[in-house]
């Protein structure tokens, strides 16, 4: 398998010779279908908007619409459309008011993506029916040893024959296929005929089958590539199910406005990245912006897994007043050299620019409220006996320890030694009405632990999730001394008196480190047995990843930079250490010890 990046522009206009044309404008597709007078067998690729049959066909001379409703009963004999009977439980039906027969009841109310419909059109002229909606990656659920009414994932180019399309599948190769004529009669098609986009066919399935066409596309979760607000990476799996080499192209479209009937608002296209491997390069693995066209060459039976990430730092449009949800959308069009195509919708919640603060260099930075957990990697330490005792020198090995920082709604950052992620249960009144919603809480005060329950399950029991760091010795959150989290140099000053119980010199049960005289009566001054101990921790946030990892989510749910610390009290000269740090947002809770 090899990866090539091309600069071909994403073609948004798709021509269908027989049944229509599709126009892809990012998330929403206009599936344009030409209906002929008489009967039409149509395969919908999108979830229509509007979905109600009466609205979807408004203004068209529709006589009736039928949808097959027998999912588990094998079909051995195909009934011609002219013999369809209203109220037949095998079919859901809709009749125009002027065409409704006595006793017929409309029981087909909405249209759905991935379904096939028989549409009887009145009049004497062809009609262009435009269906706007979002496409879904939806598998055909084949019923074994039966005819199945299905649509095929062919493009408008119509390169494949039926024989070519089903050749990889023993359950379908050489089996009977029927298409609908305008007179309502199902006629057997020749293997050398070519399937059309948007048309539905009765296809026989001999035995079990999961066949979805020469090219199969799967995503990690559901039928949409949904990054939500926190997910940074998802996978798309593309399999060549044919018996010959296949070239697969994946091209992104730009954002498009969501129909006004939807509750959410589209802010624009999702800023996508892709994980690239180029072993001839100095840095063979890295995340790059999604190219205009991503090409994979797959051998027969080979599967390519594409790691797709989202860069929310480029998605910062302000949300209008009154809009509950603000989504970014994109559409990935997947085509193959065999003439098949699929559309994968992409959805992500971005960063609301009204909640953003400015970086020191003037660029926008996200709002950082919540709990951040990560680590510091120390690789330089100053040597008091060196010619320049204040200069940190490279160490032979690295030291790593955990960092925990909480940022409240006002932007104040606190360095934590430990914190528990717990849950406060909701409450209802005597009638079962919700009066208080459950919520997650962050607890650093042990006295409050008994007021809350666990936020995770372990062996079926709710338990708290604990974050702690052995690198720090303080029992209360330490507020920032200077700087702003995520946008400049954030500084914490950690001071411990010589008699502090957590001072590293102090030992309650050792006579040489208890700060008491030989009779264990009088208190000794600082410097006799233990010393005042101080640490100044500096986190210098950087716009670029200091380790040049270019991970998805950097600058949003992941921050990094340079770590510096000055330690006083362990030597007559301060000790300076340096390294890097990396923090990940673990929770979006803006209050400690609620």
């Amino acid at each position: 398998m090899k990866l090539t990046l091309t600069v071909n522009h994403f073609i948004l206009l798709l021509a269908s010779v027989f049944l229509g044309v599709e126009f892809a404008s990012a998330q929403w597709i206009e599936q344009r279908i030409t209906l002929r007078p008489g009967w039409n067998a149509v395969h919908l690729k999108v979830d229509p908007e509007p979905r109600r049959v009466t609205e979807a066909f408004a203004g068209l001379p529709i006589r009736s619409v039928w949808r097959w409703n027998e999912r588990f009963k094998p079909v051995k004999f195909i009934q011609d459309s002219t013999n369809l009977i209203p109220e037949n439980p095998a079919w859901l039906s809709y009749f125009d008011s002027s065409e409704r027969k006595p006793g017929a009841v409309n029981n087909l109310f909405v249209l759905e993506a991935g379904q096939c419909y028989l549409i009887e059109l009145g009049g004497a002229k062809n009609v262009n029916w435009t269906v706007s909606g979002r496409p879904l990656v939806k598998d055909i659920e084949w019923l074994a040893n039966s005819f199945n009414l299905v649509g095929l994932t062919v493009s408008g180019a119509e390169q494949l024959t039926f024989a070519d399309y089903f050749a990889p599948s023993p359950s379908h190769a050489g089996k009977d296929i029927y298409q609908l004529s305008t007179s309502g009669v199902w006629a057997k098609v020749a293997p050398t005929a070519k399937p059309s986009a948007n048309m539905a066919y009765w296809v026989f399935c001999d035995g079990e089958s999961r066949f979805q066409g020469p090219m199969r596309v799967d995503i990690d979760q559901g039928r949409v590539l949904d990054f939500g607000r926190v997910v940074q990476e998802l996978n798309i799996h593309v399999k060549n199910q044919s018996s010959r080499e296949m070239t697969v192209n994946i091209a992104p479209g730009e954002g498009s406005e969501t129909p006004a009937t939807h509750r959410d608002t589209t802010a624009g296209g999702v800023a996508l990245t892709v994980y690239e491997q180029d072993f001839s390069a100095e840095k063979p693995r890295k995340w790059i912006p999604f190219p205009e066209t991503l090409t994979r060459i797959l051998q027969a039976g080979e599967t390519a897994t594409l790691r797709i990430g989202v860069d929310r730092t480029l998605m910062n449009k302000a949300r209008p007043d009154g809009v509950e949800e603000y989504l970014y959308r994109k559409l990935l069009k997947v085509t193959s050299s065999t003439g098949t195509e699929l559309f994968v919708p992409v959805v992500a919640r971005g960063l609301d620019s009204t909640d953003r603060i400015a970086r020191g260099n003037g660029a926008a930075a996200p709002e950082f409220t919540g709990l951040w957990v990560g680590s510091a990697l120390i690789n330089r330490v100053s040597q008091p006996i060196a010619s320049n005792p204040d200069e940190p020198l490279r160490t032979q090995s690295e030291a790593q320890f955990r960092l925990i920082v909480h940022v409240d709604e006002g932007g104040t950052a606190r360095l934590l030694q430990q914190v528990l992620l717990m849950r406060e249960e909701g409450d209802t009144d005597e009638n079962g009405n919700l009066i208080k919603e459950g919520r997650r809480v962050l607890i650093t005060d042990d006295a409050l632990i008994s007021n809350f329950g666990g936020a995770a399950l372990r062996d079926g029991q709710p338990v708290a999730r604990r974050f702690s760091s052995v690198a720090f010795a303080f029992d209360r959150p330490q507020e920032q001394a200077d700087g702003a989290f995520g946008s400049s140099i954030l500084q914490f000053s950690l001071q411990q008196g010589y008699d502090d119980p957590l001072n590293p010199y102090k030992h309650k049960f050792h006579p040489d480190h208890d700060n008491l005289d030989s009779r264990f009566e009088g208190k000794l001054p600082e410097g006799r047995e233990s010393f005042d101990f101080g640490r100044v921790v500096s986190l210098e946030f950087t716009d670029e990843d200091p380790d040049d990892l270019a991970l998805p989510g950097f600058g949003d749910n992941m921050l990094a930079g340079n770590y510096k610390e000055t330690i006083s009290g362990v030597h007559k000269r301060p000790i300076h250490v340096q390294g890097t740090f990396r923090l990940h947002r673990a929770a979006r809770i803006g209050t400690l010890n609620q």
Side-chain angles (χ1 to χ4, degrees):
M1 177 175 58
K2 65 180 181 179
L3 169 68
T4 58
L5 301 180
T6 69
V7 292
N8 297 328
H9 292 295
F10 180 36
I11 306 301
L12 298 178
L13 189 62
L14 308 173
S16 174
V17 176
F18 186 59
L19 269 181
V21 178
E22 293 172 0
F23 179 72
S25 182
Q27 185 86 95
W28 299 85
I29 288 180
E30 287 187 346
Q31 186 178 352
R32 297 174 182 174
I33 303 171
T34 299
L35 299 176
R36 303 163 301 179
W39 287 94
N40 300 264
V42 171
H43 174 236
L44 279 189
K45 299 179 180 180
V46 302
D47 257 341
E49 189 65 43
R51 299 180 64 190
R52 294 188 63 84
V53 175
T54 53
E55 299 176 27
F57 289 107
L60 301 182
I62 298 297
R63 290 179 176 173
S64 63
V65 183
W66 303 74
R67 170 179 158 183
W68 182 249
N69 196 38
E70 286 282 5
R71 294 185 57 192
F72 306 107
K73 185 178 179 180
V75 177
K76 302 296 185 180
F77 172 76
I78 301 174
Q79 182 183 24
D80 287 340
S81 300
T82 54
N83 298 322
L84 293 177
I85 302 174
E87 299 185 355
N88 182 344
W91 292 89
L92 299 177
S93 56
Y94 164 82
F95 298 92
D96 182 75
S97 58
S98 62
E99 300 288 340
R100 186 180 303 178
K101 300 177 182 179
V105 177
N106 286 344
N107 56 8
L108 176 62
F109 303 105
V110 297
L111 303 178
E112 299 180 51
Q115 297 294 337
C116 297
Y117 298 89
L118 307 186
I119 303 173
E120 185 183 11
L121 183 72
K125 296 181 179 180
N126 290 351
V127 172
N128 292 323
W129 178 40
T130 301
V131 188
S132 298
R134 184 174 67 176
L136 299 176
V137 180
K138 190 174 183 179
D139 286 351
I140 298 175
E141 298 179 2
W142 294 100
L143 185 61
N145 305 315
S146 169
F147 281 100
N148 293 257
L149 187 59
V150 298
L152 308 182
T153 57
V154 294
S155 66
E158 298 183 3
Q159 301 176 28
L160 289 171
T161 65
F162 283 101
D164 292 334
Y165 189 93
F166 288 108
S169 174
S171 296
H172 306 286
K175 305 302 185 293
D176 289 344
I177 302 172
Y178 288 83
Q179 71 179 25
L180 185 65
S181 68
T182 56
S183 62
V185 176
W186 289 96
K188 188 176 179 180
V189 300
T192 55
K194 296 181 179 181
S196 297
N198 303 339
M199 180 174 276
Y201 303 90
W202 281 107
V203 179
F204 192 80
C205 178
D206 186 6
E208 301 292 333
S209 175
R210 296 185 66 247
F211 184 70
Q212 304 300 320
M215 176 183 68
R216 180 183 178 89
V217 177
D218 294 298
I219 56 181
D220 280 345
Q221 302 174 13
R223 300 168 180 172
V224 177
L225 206 63
D226 190 350
F227 291 94
R229 182 60 189 85
V230 297
V231 177
Q232 298 295 344
E233 177 185 343
L234 292 171
N235 294 329
I236 296 178
H237 311 278
V238 184
K239 183 177 181 179
N240 178 6
Q241 298 192 124
S242 72
S243 58
R244 61 177 186 265
E245 183 181 271
M246 174 188 294
T247 300
V248 175
N249 294 314
I250 304 178
E254 294 303 322
S256 67
E257 291 302 322
T258 306
T261 51
H262 246 60
R263 291 175 300 172
D264 53 46
T265 298
T266 297
V270 181
L272 292 179
T273 59
V274 62
Y275 188 71
E276 178 195 38
Q277 290 187 347
D278 182 2
F279 295 102
S280 64
E282 180 181 354
K283 297 178 180 178
R285 299 180 178 89
K286 61 181 179 179
W287 289 86
I288 63 172
F290 205 100
E292 292 185 2
T293 302
L294 181 64
T295 299
R296 293 271 190 175
I297 299 178
L298 304 180
Q299 302 305 314
E302 185 177 10
T303 299
T305 296
L306 303 175
R307 296 173 59 184
I308 309 297
V310 59
D311 186 355
R312 291 187 179 85
T313 61
L314 302 179
M315 299 155 52
N316 62 346
K317 189 174 180 180
R319 185 174 66 248
D321 293 338
V323 175
E324 297 178 5
E325 294 182 272
Y326 205 13
L327 303 181
Y328 289 76
R329 300 177 181 274
K330 191 178 284 290
L331 191 69
L332 293 179
K333 177 187 174 186
V334 187
T335 59
S336 74
S337 56
T338 58
T340 56
E341 70 177 14
L342 285 167
F343 293 93
V344 179
V346 184
V347 177
R349 286 176 173 82
L351 303 173
D352 189 346
S353 63
T354 60
D355 292 332
R356 297 163 72 92
I357 59 178
R359 283 189 184 271
N361 60 7
E367 182 270 338
F368 297 114
T369 299
L371 179 67
W372 296 79
V373 180
S375 62
L377 186 69
I378 306 302
N379 52 24
R380 290 180 178 273
V381 180
S382 64
Q383 303 292 329
I385 62 174
S387 58
N388 186 351
D390 294 328
E391 179 185 2
L393 303 177
R394 176 72 67 174
T395 59
Q396 292 186 352
S397 60
E398 298 173 334
Q400 188 171 4
F401 56 85
R402 175 166 285 181
L403 278 178
I404 309 171
V405 180
H406 180 263
V407 183
D408 65 19
E409 292 90 342
T412 299
R414 293 174 175 86
L415 185 67
L416 309 183
Q417 193 277 325
Q418 68 173 0
V419 62
L420 294 174
L421 179 60
M422 306 188 72
R423 179 171 177 79
E424 181 183 35
E425 297 300 330
D427 197 7
T428 58
D429 61 19
E430 57 184 10
N431 297 321
N433 299 316
L434 182 67
I435 57 177
K436 184 179 72 172
E437 293 186 355
R439 60 177 179 174
R440 297 190 304 168
V441 296
L442 296 173
I443 305 299
T444 61
D445 186 349
D446 292 347
L448 300 177
I449 293 177
S450 61
N451 297 333
F452 305 99
L457 289 178
R458 181 179 301 161
D459 298 328
Q461 298 297 320
V463 296
R465 186 179 180 188
R466 181 174 183 266
F467 302 92
S468 62
S469 176
V470 298
F472 299 99
F474 51 83
D475 55 1
R476 295 183 179 181
Q478 302 294 300
E479 190 169 313
Q480 68 191 57
D482 195 12
F485 185 89
S487 60
S488 63
I489 299 178
L490 184 66
Q491 192 173 92
F492 299 95
S493 181
L494 314 176
Q495 303 299 323
Q496 291 176 297
Y498 80 100
D499 203 38
D500 189 308
L502 297 178
N503 186 294
Y505 288 103
K506 182 73 181 295
H507 198 302
K508 184 176 181 179
F509 302 104
H510 195 295
D512 291 338
H513 298 281
D514 59 5
N515 293 327
L516 298 176
D517 60 19
S518 58
R519 295 180 177 271
F520 304 101
E521 296 175 351
K523 179 73 67 174
L524 297 175
E526 190 267 340
R528 294 284 295 274
E529 289 189 354
S530 66
F531 302 84
D532 290 337
F533 183 74
R535 302 174 67 178
V536 177
V537 175
S538 297
L539 305 179
E540 181 185 4
F541 294 89
T542 57
D543 292 333
E544 303 294 334
D545 193 318
D547 299 317
D548 201 23
L549 298 179
L551 298 175
F554 184 81
D556 173 22
N557 286 329
M558 180 194 307
L559 299 172
N562 300 315
Y563 181 93
K564 295 182 180 180
E565 183 175 343
T566 299
I567 305 172
S568 59
V570 296
H571 192 275
K572 65 180 181 179
R573 303 189 65 94
I575 304 298
H576 304 278
V577 301
Q578 290 183 5
T580 60
F581 74 91
R582 188 176 302 277
L583 294 170
H584 300 258
R585 179 144 40 189
R588 293 179 176 275
I589 302 172
T591 305
L592 294 175
N593 302 315
Q594 298 180 37

